[in-house]
Amino acid sequence: MAGRLEGKVAVITGAASGFGEGIARRFAEEGAKVVVADLNGERAAQVATDIGARAKAIEVDVTDRSDVKSMIAAATDDLGGLDILVNNAGFTHRNRPLTDVGEDEFDRILAVNAKAIYLAALEAVPLMSADGLGGKGGVIINTASTAGLRPRPGLTWYNASKGWAITATKSMAVELAPQKIRVNCLCPVAGETGMLHLFMGEDTPEMREKFIASVPLGRLSTPLDIANAALWLASDEAALVTGVALEVDGGRCI
């Protein structure tokens, strides 16, 4: 253990699988205590058990403010504080024409990918703020997407939600800088997560080949790729980095 996050407490949403699970495991390896937050409480508990004493699982709907309050309390009351918040939970519609996406599905996309960042900020910022009682600053990381920078056809409303996350990140970074809170976002290329088949429309060798062909380095992302990028942004090595939309995409956005 290198201990780059030793003594830190982190909340990671969507941490029961995919990128979020990778981030939770990597942060714990580097010394952080982690709240493994996910709508799938059973799977979150499994991940926390695998990580060990440094982890606490909680079932959370990130679009519900009372759930978000409980999530933050799991960090402050059970693990002793809050230093890092990773808004990683995400939702998408299946790749299809924009007029074929239903209103309920659209609302869920905006709730998970946008409103959840707002709700988490309401609870986390006062605790992190250097202006608050005992606050010493902190780090917020939002998982956006290459889709918010170079949109793909068929994912219009998902693309737009990730563009929102990128703009929110930059605005938060400027506003919260005096409070010593750094805010950045990750822009992963499509990877081996539970939503991959939705991005592609169908998971076939031909469709994977088409997606991989758009990445100059010739592969999709992995949870470890994203976890290592999040680790750097959360660590003191990135102490002067804020407002950045970090592309972890093998050159996809060039």
Side-chain angles (χ1 to χ4, degrees), residues 13 62-64 68 71 85-90 109-125 140-144 161-170 172 176 183-185:
T13 69
V62 294
T63 71
D64 182 278
V68 173
M71 176 181 76
L85 169 65
V86 183
N87 291 306
N88 171 75
I109 291 164
L110 268 292
V112 175
N113 296 352
K115 184 181 180 182
I117 295 174
Y118 158 74
L119 292 178
L122 294 181
E123 302 303 322
V125 168
I140 298 173
I141 300 171
N142 301 317
T143 299
S161 73
K162 291 304 185 178
W164 184 100
I166 292 167
T167 299
T169 293
K170 292 178 178 293
M172 291 168 71
L176 298 178
V183 188
N184 293 289
C185 67

Side-chain angles (χ1 to χ4, degrees), residues 132-148:
L133 295 176
K136 55 184 178 181
V139 176
I140 298 173
I141 300 171
N142 301 317
T143 299
S145 172
T146 55

Side-chain angles (χ1 to χ4, degrees), residues 1-42:
M1 182 185 296
R4 292 155 80 185
L5 299 181
E6 191 67 42
K8 304 291 187 182
V9 177
V11 171
I12 303 107
T13 69
S17 62
F19 296 153
E21 179 181 353
I23 292 168
R25 292 182 183 277
R26 192 72 184 92
F27 279 18
E29 288 174 355
E30 292 287 341
K33 297 177 182 179
V34 296
V35 174
V36 180
D38 202 281
L39 190 61
N40 186 337
E42 182 177 353

Side-chain angles (χ1 to χ4, degrees), residues 29 43 61 72 83 96 104 119 127 141 169 199 208 234:
E29 288 174 355
R43 176 58 186 160
D61 179 348
I72 299 301
D83 303 286
R96 62 183 188 272
D104 288 346
L119 292 178
L127 296 172
I141 300 171
T169 293
F199 296 138
R208 281 183 176 241

Side-chain angles (χ1 to χ4, degrees), residues 64-250:
D64 182 278
R65 187 168 183 183
S66 64
D67 273 17
V68 173
K69 283 179 179 286
S70 297
M71 176 181 76
I72 299 301
T76 57
D77 298 349
D78 299 337
L79 298 183
L82 178 64
D83 303 286
I84 304 161
L85 169 65
V86 183
N87 291 306
N88 171 75
F91 186 76
T92 187
H93 56 85
R94 184 178 293 276
N95 191 306
R96 62 183 188 272
L98 62 91
T99 53
D100 289 350
V101 176
E103 188 174 349
D104 288 346
E105 198 171 18
F106 174 87
D107 288 344
R108 185 65 178 169
I109 291 164
L110 268 292
V112 175
N113 296 352
K115 184 181 180 182
I117 295 174
Y118 158 74
L119 292 178
L122 294 181
E123 302 303 322
V125 168
L127 296 172
M128 290 180 171
S129 174
D131 295 334
L133 295 176
K136 55 184 178 181
V139 176
I140 298 173
I141 300 171
N142 301 317
T143 299
S145 172
T146 55
L149 297 170
R150 291 194 63 189
R152 291 181 183 273
L155 291 168
T156 289
W157 308 123
Y158 172 79
N159 298 339
S161 73
K162 291 304 185 178
W164 184 100
I166 292 167
T167 299
T169 293
K170 292 178 178 293
S171 186
M172 291 168 71
V174 173
E175 184 168 338
L176 298 178
Q179 300 173 52
K180 307 304 180 186
I181 300 173
R182 296 190 295 108
V183 188
N184 293 289
C185 67
L186 297 165
C187 294
V189 73
E192 298 291 346
T193 72
M195 295 198 298
L196 180 59
H197 68 289
L198 298 174
F199 296 138
M200 294 191 296
E202 56 179 346
D203 191 352
T204 64
E206 294 76 18
M207 191 59 70
R208 281 183 176 241
E209 183 177 350
K210 180 180 178 180
F211 263 60
I212 291 170
S214 71
V215 182
L217 285 183
R219 67 173 176 86
L220 301 178
S221 66
T222 69
L224 184 59
D225 292 323
I226 309 311
N228 281 331
L231 171 62
W232 180 71
L233 288 175
S235 75
D236 290 342
E237 296 167 16
L240 197 62
V241 178
T242 197
V244 165
L246 181 60
E247 298 161 22
V248 189
D249 67 347

